[in-house]
Amino acid sequence: MLAINEIEATCERSQGEVHHSSEQIAETLDQILRSTRFKDSQQLQTLLRYVVEETIKGNDETLKERMIGIYVFGRRPDYDTTEDPIVRSRMGLLRKRLAQYYEGATAEQSPIQIVIPNGTYRPAFVSRPVTKGKRSQSVHDGTKPASMSIPVITNIVPAIETPQHIVPQSDSATAVPSTSRRKLAFQVASIAAVLAIVLVGAWWFFLRPQQQEMDALWTPIIKGKQPVYIYTGTMPVYEPESPADEASSPADLYWPIRVPEPPTADLPKMGPNQVFSYGEGMLTGSVYADIRVSAFLSKYNRTPVMRSGPDLPYMDLKGSPLILIGSFDNYWTRVMNESLPFYFDRGFGIRERAGAHRRWHNPLKAEMTPRMMDDYALVFRVMDSKAGAPVLAIAGLSTCGTHAVADFVTDPVQMKALSGIPKSDLLSKNIELVLHTSLVNCAPTSVQVIASKVW
């Protein structure tokens, strides 16, 4: 590995010296990310890939601490770098892992060393000598690896071939089992290679096409560097004037809380004088959708910024992709949906703006009881929204419908239902879907696309 003074001197070289191509740097980066030092740390992989790619592009502005915190670690644009040293701490760990990588045998054949000098987040790409001799050979001999010139190789060959000439002819029969073993090993390797090709082909022809629709829908949301926001709607929550576990006397303070009565299927009637406290709460389907979508985004190395209730100023949305969870309980879903081809109407239904003016609604929506056997939902993705960035909405008429939509948009098998829409349209155009889901105790059993619009 290069000494520290050599690295610092290399970083100060003039622009006239040899530069590495982006292909060479990308190959070196890929080798590092696949190494044992990095393959188990998704966060360090994302950080190293980001600083290397931004350096290759010449984007010095995106290599500052705040920008790395926003793009890599999902921090808010106004976060305090003094109170939150996530970038500095992870960069220190990244420098340590890079040093350990180049001390190992894996990096011996690497012609480029990626170095992040102290005081900067911009990596330098340093040329380094490639050791062609085996590391174990030099350790065994106690000497430095010799240069592998042609004479050295020709001198080694006789030493290897000599024992073959001194083997007696009477022992030639022992070569037959050895030859058979080699043939058997070759046959096994050939069969394994054929099976590998078959499995790869099966994946490509069956699973990969199913992923294409899902990837096309999500690409506009996850492809950029801006943080992805998830905004979840909330509902008002009321508490009775006399909670069941409230102490009625000083002596009651020493007793455990009371066990409440089991909840009934019917909602309680409550007047304004019966309200003890008020707050905001999330519906269970929205919470499920938050978890499901967050786990899905982590597969693409994207950590979403979670917001709910009044916790989403309009200024935060400018230029940032937005995922909306919920329908009537979500302010931003209402704002983005009011002028779309399919919209939520004032009767708690979904209505078609043009054409046949179809309408879908759930008569039991207001009750939210286990008797609900089906529900309807909207999925819409608007490329150039009022927020200045793509918006994807996951919105059921009820919490059960929101649950079903979250499963639908993150499941490549269910997304196969969009195979009739051209991939180019799925990637670049606005799209809105009306879904119907069958339910058992609010759990979706099937989802169908019953109407769609692409523009």
Side-chain angles (χ1 to χ4, degrees):
M1 191 180 72
L2 296 179
I4 296 298
N5 56 353
E6 293 177 321
I7 293 173
E8 292 177 349
T10 305
C11 295
E12 295 174 357
R13 292 176 180 173
S14 65
Q15 295 295 328
E17 296 198 17
V18 177
H19 295 280
H20 300 288
S21 67
S22 58
E23 290 78 10
Q24 291 175 317
I25 297 173
E27 182 178 356
T28 300
L29 174 63
D30 185 62
Q31 292 173 353
I32 294 174
L33 298 181
R34 287 188 285 107
S35 68
T36 55
R37 295 288 181 184
F38 283 85
K39 67 180 182 180
D40 294 331
S41 177
Q42 193 66 49
Q43 197 174 67
L44 290 183
Q45 287 187 24
T46 303
L47 178 58
L48 180 59
R49 183 182 298 277
Y50 174 82
V51 296
V52 169
E53 291 179 351
E54 293 303 305
T55 299
I56 293 175
K57 297 175 184 177
N59 297 335
D60 293 337
E61 291 299 320
T62 57
L63 291 171
K64 296 180 179 179
E65 180 179 358
R66 180 177 301 279
M67 303 305 291
I68 295 175
I70 295 171
Y71 293 148
V72 178
F73 300 104
R75 295 302 192 263
R76 295 184 56 171
D78 59 346
Y79 89 102
D80 190 343
T81 57
T82 303
E83 297 291 334
D84 187 355
I86 180 69
V87 176
R88 298 190 296 276
S89 63
R90 293 300 184 272
M91 195 63 72
L93 181 58
L94 177 58
R95 293 187 180 101
K96 180 180 178 181
R97 290 287 181 90
L98 284 173
Q100 292 172 344
Y101 168 78
Y102 282 106
E103 287 175 353
T106 308
E108 286 184 350
Q109 303 300 320
S110 178
I112 301 174
Q113 181 168 351
I114 299 178
V115 183
I116 306 176
N118 290 329
T120 180
Y121 300 130
R122 180 186 179 89
F125 310 108
V126 184
S127 298
R128 61 193 303 270
V130 179
T131 303
K132 296 184 180 179
K134 292 184 178 179
R135 187 182 184 91
S136 59
Q137 180 181 2
S138 63
V139 172
H140 177 75
D141 296 340
T143 60
K144 296 182 178 179
S147 59
M148 300 300 290
S149 59
I150 295 178
V152 174
I153 297 176
T154 55
N155 289 337
I156 292 175
V157 172
I160 297 175
E161 294 180 349
T162 300
Q164 298 177 1
H165 296 291
I166 63 176
V167 175
Q169 292 293 329
S170 59
D171 294 338
S172 61
T174 60
V176 176
S178 177
T179 303
S180 300
R181 286 195 297 270
R182 286 197 297 269
K183 289 182 178 179
L184 179 60
F186 176 76
Q187 292 174 350
V188 172
S190 301
I191 294 173
V194 171
L195 288 176
I197 293 173
V198 171
L199 290 175
V200 171
W203 175 85
W204 180 259
F205 285 105
F206 293 100
L207 181 58
R208 182 61 189 172
Q210 292 174 348
Q211 291 181 334
Q212 289 179 359
E213 289 79 17
M214 185 177 68
D215 291 343
L217 179 72
W218 282 95
T219 294
I221 302 294
I222 62 179
K223 69 177 180 180
K225 298 294 185 180
Q226 291 288 95
V228 178
Y229 282 83
I230 295 181
Y231 177 73
T232 308
T234 55
M235 294 288 287
V237 177
Y238 301 93
E239 187 176 10
E241 184 176 4
S242 298
D245 56 351
E246 184 182 19
S248 58
S249 67
D252 284 350
L253 296 175
Y254 297 95
W255 291 94
I257 62 173
R258 296 182 178 91
V259 177
E261 294 293 331
T264 61
D266 297 324
L267 295 177
K269 304 299 182 181
M270 188 178 298
N273 296 327
Q274 296 174 293
V275 175
F276 176 74
S277 64
Y278 166 80
E280 295 284 337
M282 292 185 186
L283 296 172
T284 55
S286 297
V287 174
Y288 174 86
D290 284 343
I291 298 172
R292 177 91 179 189
V293 173
S294 298
F296 174 80
L297 292 176
S298 68
K299 299 178 182 179
Y300 295 87
N301 300 325
R302 301 304 301 270
T303 302
V305 182
M306 309 299 293
R307 294 288 185 267
S308 63
D311 188 25
L312 188 63
Y314 184 76
M315 60 178 296
D316 283 354
L317 297 179
K318 299 298 289 183
S320 292
L322 178 62
I323 301 171
L324 300 172
I325 307 294
S327 55
F328 299 98
D329 58 337
N330 192 314
Y331 169 80
W332 286 106
T333 298
R334 296 186 179 200
V335 171
M336 302 294 179
N337 175 249
E338 62 180 352
S339 60
L340 297 185
F342 304 105
Y343 63 93
F344 294 106
D345 64 20
R346 299 182 184 182
F348 296 102
I350 298 172
R351 190 178 296 272
E352 185 179 23
R353 187 176 301 277
H357 302 286
R358 291 171 292 178
R359 185 175 186 266
W360 303 271
H361 73 289
N362 184 351
L364 298 178
K365 190 269 174 189
E367 298 185 25
M368 289 299 300
T369 68
R371 293 179 292 171
M372 290 177 55
M373 301 298 294
D374 58 3
D375 197 14
Y376 298 92
L378 280 182
V379 178
F380 60 83
R381 188 199 64 198
V382 180
M383 299 297 294
D384 187 13
S385 68
K386 298 176 182 180
V391 170
L392 177 67
I394 297 172
L397 284 179
S398 73
T399 182
C400 311
T402 301
H403 180 152
V405 177
D407 285 340
F408 178 82
V409 297
T410 56
D411 183 359
V413 177
Q414 295 191 60
M415 287 291 290
K416 191 66 178 174
L418 305 185
S419 59
I421 302 175
K423 301 301 183 296
S424 58
D425 291 351
L426 279 175
L427 277 169
S428 60
K429 292 187 178 182
N430 300 325
I431 180 172
E432 189 172 19
L433 310 172
V434 180
L435 305 182
H436 170 264
T437 177
S438 299
L439 304 171
V440 175
N441 292 327
C442 201
T445 59
S446 64
V447 178
Q448 301 86 34
V449 179
I450 58 177
S452 64
K453 181 71 174 179
V454 179
W455 72 100

